[in-house]
Amino acid sequence: MGTVSRDTIRVLITDDHPVFRQGLKGLLQALGVEVVGEAESGPDAVRLAAELQPDVVVMDLHMPGGNGIEATRTITRTSPRIGVLVLTMFRDDDSVFAAMRAGARGYLLKESGAEEIARAVRAVAAGEAIYGPEIARRVLTYFTDMPDPRQAAFPQLTEREREVLELIAQGRSNAEIAATLFLSQKTVRNHVSNIFMKLHVADRAQAIVLAREAGLGESSPR
């Protein structure tokens, strides 16, 4: 991913509101940023980005005549060195993650302060990813709250049975499982029998295959 080597950052502003474009242009110019063009729709942004090759495209998301998500996707695919900074009123998760998937390096709300916008433009021009505080919290919460796919794989198992299956997938014997979980070997045998029945498998080898396909047994192998 390319970064800016010159001192002056060249920016293309994309927004369908002329007053907002003018205000943002004045702000950026006052901070030493060169505004090389203005677009009022997604297709205009794609055309001007290809023609002008700015360092950063400041992109609104919802505009008449073509949305900013598609424009972002096209620009980042055809000109990977150009960074896209989304600047929008939309704070919903669908908009945030659609922009990220499209290749946007930054996402700010229009209520952000001048210093925050300027800092984000410089960061995106330098190849960094940057998000406003509220957006960053949303992203962090999303990934923190994501369920563990290993737990979702076998909902019919109890928590203890899932622990036993994890150790089976690691190749542990019943005696080793008993020692690890501080259980008797008889209790472990009962858990193993229940696991085989619930997973509809005939033996340990089949259970290991199913468990490993679901991502179990990848940590602390024997």
Side-chain angles (χ1 to χ4, degrees):
M1 183 180 296
T3 56
V4 181
S5 58
R6 69 180 89 85
D7 291 333
T8 303
I9 298 171
R10 303 171 68 252
V11 171
L12 169 65
I13 298 173
T14 304
D15 196 285
D16 60 318
H17 293 95
V19 174
F20 181 81
R21 290 201 310 270
Q22 288 303 309
L24 182 58
K25 179 178 180 179
L27 164 67
L28 294 176
Q29 288 177 331
L31 295 170
V33 174
E34 181 183 358
V35 177
V36 297
E38 299 176 37
E40 59 182 19
S41 70
D44 284 345
V46 171
R47 176 179 57 82
L48 288 174
E51 176 185 328
L52 301 172
Q53 288 296 302
D55 302 310
V56 178
V57 176
V58 177
M59 181 76 70
D60 192 11
L61 288 186
H62 297 278
M63 298 170 288
N67 69 61
I69 297 295
E70 289 303 321
T72 296
R73 183 176 293 111
T74 300
I75 291 169
T76 56
R77 184 179 68 246
T78 57
S79 301
R81 63 162 294 279
I82 298 176
V84 175
L85 170 63
V86 170
L87 186 59
T88 181
M89 295 185 299
F90 294 90
R91 63 186 77 216
D92 59 286
D93 289 350
D94 288 345
S95 296
V96 172
F97 291 108
M100 291 173 64
R101 286 192 295 269
R105 290 186 205 162
Y107 197 111
L108 291 184
L109 299 176
K110 285 186 175 180
E111 64 197 44
S112 302
E115 291 184 3
E116 188 177 357
I117 294 173
R119 183 170 63 250
V121 167
R122 294 190 186 99
V124 169
E128 301 173 15
I130 187 165
Y131 303 96
E134 179 180 336
I135 303 304
R137 284 194 295 271
R138 283 177 174 273
V139 173
L140 181 61
T141 299
Y142 174 83
F143 287 108
T144 300
D145 291 346
M146 286 181 68
D148 186 339
R150 294 176 299 179
Q151 294 185 358
F154 303 110
Q156 69 271 43
L157 301 183
T158 66
E159 184 62 32
R160 177 62 82 186
E161 288 168 350
R162 194 174 292 112
E163 290 175 343
V164 172
L165 182 59
E166 171 75 35
L167 294 171
I168 290 174
Q170 293 175 14
R172 307 290 184 93
S173 67
N174 282 1
E176 290 174 317
I177 294 172
T180 299
L181 298 180
F182 302 101
L183 300 173
S184 70
Q185 291 194 45
K186 179 181 178 181
T187 299
V188 170
R189 285 195 299 272
N190 289 338
H191 284 314
V192 171
S193 177
N194 289 336
I195 290 168
F196 289 179
M197 180 183 65
K198 290 181 178 181
L199 298 186
H200 305 291
V201 297
D203 54 31
R204 212 176 190 88
Q206 291 181 5
I208 289 174
V209 170
L210 283 181
R212 290 185 175 172
E213 286 178 349
L216 275 68
E218 296 177 349
S219 60
S220 303
R222 186 173 60 166

